[in-house]
Amino acid sequence: MILVPHHAAATIRQAGPWGLMTLRGNHEDLAVIRGISTRDGVILPVDASPGQNLLAASGDISLSGCWYRAAPMLHLYWRQLSGRLGTGIPLSVFQDHLTSGYKNPGLNPYIALTYAPDAKESFPEHDVSDIVAWRIGRDGAYPLGSLVEPSTTGIGQIQDHWPVRDLQTARVMLIGTGSIGSAAAHALAGYGIGHLTLVDPDRLSWHNLVRHTTGRRHVGRPKATALAEELTFLRPDTTVVPLVLDVIDDADRIRPLLQESNLVVCTADGVAARRVTGHLARRASIPTVMACVLQDGALGEILRLRPWPQHGCLTCRRQTLAERGSIDPEPALDAGYGTGTRHRPMTAVGPDLHLIAHLAAKTAVATLLERHGHPDQRLPGEHGLISLRRQPDCAPPFDLSRTGETRWLPATPPRPGCPTCEP
């Protein structure tokens, strides 16, 4: 497999009839173009993006080759022969389809790229690439697999059918980067959120690894910092800022940052952290999406709190449910799952937590897009419940009887005298 970085492909497309190139390969039959020239001039280094830095320094193999401009028919031959092991074309046929230049392989085979500018237009029904790879030997020219880096990668590749521009301008603050929070961060970046601020004071510990998205090489580091590093590498379209802060103790520092945000997602454990987040977001007049699991991981919950007069805050919602004979699950969230000496095991497995995280991210993104005029993103309610393990004995509305069952509830109004809801 030959990887062709965008810079190398652009040079070939803009240059003359042929040139030289150098490659770096490894023992997995993978090679990346590292240098390229026009004709027999100086071979200049290729500016490879981070995605092309796939080969380690140790064990690499230095290779050399040539590239040629070719007639479209040669690429049709390549397309028809690809996948047929050991099948090639005579060297005379290969050479006849080149516009100029040719290096005889002699005793040593070499790698060649051919560029046929009109290949796609000449054979639209065959999905023929304009740049393909060959192994040139004394016994013929044989097709090689090739991947040409496109001019646009990342979230921009899907902008024709996803509102990339609206989401790239969005600024989301994520409070809590634990098991649910880390997965939510990956999902938010995957949706194309342009700016993500991660807030969490904790460090990654050994017992976090079974559910966290971050690997063991980050144990001991702040969760927010480690997660930001991984997201920056995986999703370069998203600017990620880690803040090793506590939403309660550092509320004075978080408050002005919320004024610059469009939405906050809270996946933090504990009643106080959730209430403070909801209070600060309400004062900043931005919506909040809260995600957690209840009943030791049997139920997943998504709460959307909007700063609207008819929508109550977290405390108001819980009190209204309790008055209607339901449970108030907030105290259970102070159990301290995975927190220091108060740690107690959670029976939810990582993928269940990540499922809730992805639903929280979807809720956040749908909320932002609805405000941008995308009615197809409207959610069925403001309070989402999903059964991870059936809990038929719970009080309504938490009495989901089947695994995978979902339920959406409307918002409830503020309660008189609420210090968060009232101005």
Side-chain angles (χ1 to χ4, degrees):
M1 178 64 68
I2 309 300
L3 298 184
V4 185
H6 173 65
H7 181 206
T11 300
I12 291 173
R13 289 172 178 140
Q14 298 168 8
W18 66 277
L20 305 175
M21 61 185 185
T22 57
L23 306 91
R24 180 72 65 178
N26 66 13
H27 295 288
E28 294 181 332
D29 293 330
L30 175 68
V32 182
I33 295 180
R34 291 304 197 192
I36 201 160
S37 78
T38 57
R39 293 186 183 270
D40 56 354
V42 177
I43 298 177
L44 299 177
V46 167
D47 182 18
S49 65
Q52 269 69 53
N53 296 329
L54 302 175
L55 306 179
S58 60
D60 285 358
I61 306 166
S62 296
L63 304 169
S64 61
C66 299
W67 64 266
Y68 308 105
R69 188 175 290 248
M73 183 58 71
L74 184 62
H75 285 212
L76 182 61
Y77 292 154
W78 181 95
R79 182 72 176 81
Q80 293 173 338
L81 294 173
S82 292
R84 300 181 184 180
L85 189 64
T87 305
I89 58 176
L91 288 181
S92 58
V93 175
F94 180 83
Q95 187 174 358
D96 287 345
H97 287 81
L98 304 182
T99 60
S100 179
Y102 173 68
K103 175 186 175 184
N104 193 304
L107 296 177
N108 298 313
Y110 67 89
I111 294 172
L113 294 181
T114 54
Y115 167 54
D118 303 320
K120 294 178 182 288
E121 294 76 11
S122 300
F123 308 104
E125 69 279 13
H126 291 289
D127 189 27
V128 179
S129 175
D130 66 334
I131 296 178
V132 299
W134 305 80
R135 181 182 67 83
I136 309 300
R138 297 176 63 185
D139 54 345
Y142 296 85
L144 293 176
S146 57
L147 291 174
V148 181
E149 182 184 12
S151 57
T152 300
T153 57
I155 198 68
Q157 292 176 276
I158 59 174
Q159 61 183 356
D160 291 341
H161 54 274
W162 181 246
V164 171
R165 292 183 180 87
D166 291 335
L167 294 175
Q168 280 287 283
T169 60
R171 302 176 70 90
V172 173
M173 178 179 288
L174 176 65
I175 307 291
T177 59
S179 301
I180 296 178
S182 63
H186 279 274
L188 289 166
Y191 277 121
I193 296 297
H195 192 283
L196 190 57
T197 301
L198 308 178
V199 178
D200 197 311
D202 295 337
R203 293 178 180 271
L204 188 71
S205 186
W206 296 109
H207 63 258
N208 300 139
L209 296 178
V210 70
R211 298 178 184 89
H212 207 274
T213 62
T214 306
R216 63 176 54 240
R217 69 188 181 93
H218 293 294
V219 167
R221 299 184 65 196
K223 292 178 181 177
T225 304
L227 182 59
E229 183 179 297
E230 291 192 344
L231 285 173
T232 298
F233 177 77
L234 292 172
R235 302 289 183 181
D237 296 310
T238 299
T239 299
V240 186
V241 177
L243 298 176
V244 185
L245 300 176
D246 185 287
V247 69
I248 301 172
D249 296 340
D250 301 301
D252 59 322
R253 298 178 61 183
I254 292 173
R255 186 180 290 110
L257 298 176
L258 283 172
Q259 297 289 343
E260 303 172 0
S261 303
N262 304 114
L263 182 142
V264 59
V265 177
C266 178
T267 63
D269 290 334
V271 177
R274 288 159 57 83
R275 287 181 177 175
V276 169
T277 298
H279 182 85
L280 294 177
R282 184 95 176 193
R283 287 289 182 264
S285 297
I286 63 173
T288 304
V289 174
M290 294 194 170
C292 65
V293 291
L294 311 173
Q295 301 294 101
D296 283 339
L299 298 172
E301 182 184 58
I302 307 296
L303 274 171
R304 179 166 60 175
L305 308 174
R306 303 209 234 193
W308 294 354
Q310 68 273 31
H311 283 223
C313 68
L314 174 65
T315 303
C316 291
R317 297 267 196 102
R318 293 306 197 204
Q319 289 178 348
T320 299
L321 281 176
E323 282 187 356
R324 294 175 179 175
S326 186
I327 62 173
D328 180 2
E330 286 298 308
L333 297 177
D334 261 339
Y337 296 111
T339 305
T341 58
R342 301 178 62 211
H343 168 65
R344 74 174 190 177
M346 180 189 290
T347 56
V349 296
D352 275 358
L353 300 178
H354 299 172
L355 176 64
I356 303 308
H358 285 201
L359 183 57
K362 181 63 179 179
T363 301
V365 168
T367 302
L368 294 169
L369 291 180
E370 188 179 355
R371 294 176 63 185
H372 275 286
H374 298 272
D376 60 329
Q377 293 292 314
R378 189 168 297 144
L379 295 171
E382 305 298 314
H383 185 181
L385 299 170
I386 182 168
S387 175
L388 304 174
R389 298 193 308 274
R390 62 189 299 271
Q391 292 286 295
D393 297 329
C394 276
F398 301 100
D399 56 335
L400 302 179
S401 59
R402 300 190 179 197
T403 297
E405 182 180 353
T406 59
R407 179 176 295 164
W408 284 91
L409 308 169
T412 55
R415 299 174 66 85
C418 174
T420 294
C421 295
E422 291 189 356

